[in-house]
Amino acid sequence: MQTEDLIKQIEFIKEIDKLKYIQRRTKLFNSDRNENDAEHSWHLAMMAIILSNHSNVEIDVLKVVKMVLIHDIVEIDAGDTFLYDTTKNHTNTDEELLAAKRIFGILPDEQRDEMIAVWEEFEAGETAEAKFARTMDRLEPLLQNASNQGGTWKEFDVDYQKVYDKKKVMQHGSTSIWNYAENLINESVENGILKKEKTEL
């Protein structure tokens, strides 16, 4: 049984190597190279460890790290959906659930069930750990775009209100990080790298 489990685990490890080929819209800090999903997941894991003391409530940091490391594995099958995509629902998890069942299904049953449960907890966004993990997931591309003179905001003509609406969920995981992010968004408007429509009187 141990040998059989090991074979399944190695197959899973080989399968998730494909995550390195999934390109994201956002680019690396101060760069014109697109980030891939594996780089994104690693960065979120480090952020979760470093920034965990800013969580609104006490959290299980290891669980958060697990969430951010596995949350995009489903994109091996489902592909990356741009946060500001207007044609595809970013929260359409039906396709992603099928992907989760296939990919995590490579693992031994106990690990399969744990991985799917952690992934579903992240997607639901209701626990303290999921809220903080989602804060990390929203923060990283914000920092990237600010470092790239607007990055994907400019490339895809995303305005202030869309950015604000997508990022404000960060406050549920960390008020202090959201305050920082909100200031950064406003600074991006002031610096002309994020456009804000003038309100008609």
Side-chain angles (χ1 to χ4, degrees):
M1 179 59 75
Q2 190 172 3
T3 303
E4 184 181 330
D5 283 354
L6 178 59
I7 290 170
K8 289 179 179 180
Q9 290 163 332
I10 295 295
E11 282 304 307
F12 174 78
I13 288 166
K14 288 159 66 176
E15 179 68 15
I16 63 172
D17 188 67
K18 294 175 182 176
L19 202 64
K20 299 171 186 174
Y21 295 95
I22 306 298
Q23 295 294 305
R24 292 170 53 79
R25 300 296 204 292
T26 45
K27 294 177 170 62
L28 304 180
F29 287 90
N30 303 303
S31 172
D32 60 0
R33 179 171 81 75
N34 286 72
E35 179 184 49
N36 67 50
D37 266 354
E39 293 168 328
H40 170 66
S41 299
W42 163 81
H43 214 166
L44 297 191
M46 286 300 303
M47 289 166 59
I49 293 168
I50 300 302
L51 300 174
S52 60
N53 62 310
H54 296 284
S55 175
N56 289 338
V57 296
E58 191 172 336
I59 51 173
D60 179 345
V61 178
L62 178 57
K63 179 175 260 195
V64 175
V65 169
K66 285 182 180 180
M67 283 182 181
V68 297
L69 284 176
I70 73 171
H71 78 293
D72 278 342
I73 285 177
V74 296
E75 294 185 357
I76 289 171
D77 287 359
D80 176 56
T81 301
F82 185 41
L83 182 63
Y84 304 105
D85 198 320
T86 57
T87 60
K88 187 174 181 182
N89 185 352
H90 193 264
T91 57
N92 180 9
T93 56
D94 290 341
E95 187 179 355
E96 293 182 342
L97 180 58
L98 287 174
K101 288 180 177 178
R102 184 195 75 78
I103 299 166
F104 296 128
I106 297 170
L107 288 164
D109 292 352
E110 187 175 343
Q111 286 186 315
R112 174 203 64 204
D113 292 345
E114 181 197 0
M115 293 293 104
I116 291 176
V118 169
W119 177 78
E120 288 181 327
E121 183 177 338
F122 173 85
E123 288 296 316
E126 294 175 355
T127 65
E129 286 76 19
K131 289 173 183 175
F132 191 76
R134 289 159 78 94
T135 297
M136 299 297 96
D137 195 32
R138 291 290 196 268
L139 176 61
E140 192 223 22
L142 171 62
L143 297 175
Q144 289 169 324
N145 284 330
S147 80
N148 284 316
Q149 298 304 304
T152 53
W153 300 334
K154 281 195 171 179
E155 185 178 353
F156 296 97
D157 197 30
V158 180
D159 64 20
Y160 163 87
Q161 199 58 53
K162 287 180 184 174
V163 172
Y164 189 90
D165 290 345
K166 291 290 186 180
K167 301 297 182 181
K168 65 183 179 182
V169 298
M170 294 167 62
Q171 64 190 301
H172 302 308
S174 171
T175 302
S176 59
I177 291 176
W178 167 240
N179 289 340
Y180 175 88
E182 189 175 24
N183 286 334
L184 187 57
I185 292 170
N186 290 331
E187 285 175 12
S188 297
V189 172
E190 292 167 11
N191 294 334
I193 64 175
L194 182 61
K195 66 179 185 179
K196 186 173 185 179
E197 300 294 340
K198 291 182 179 179
T199 306
E200 293 184 7
L201 297 176

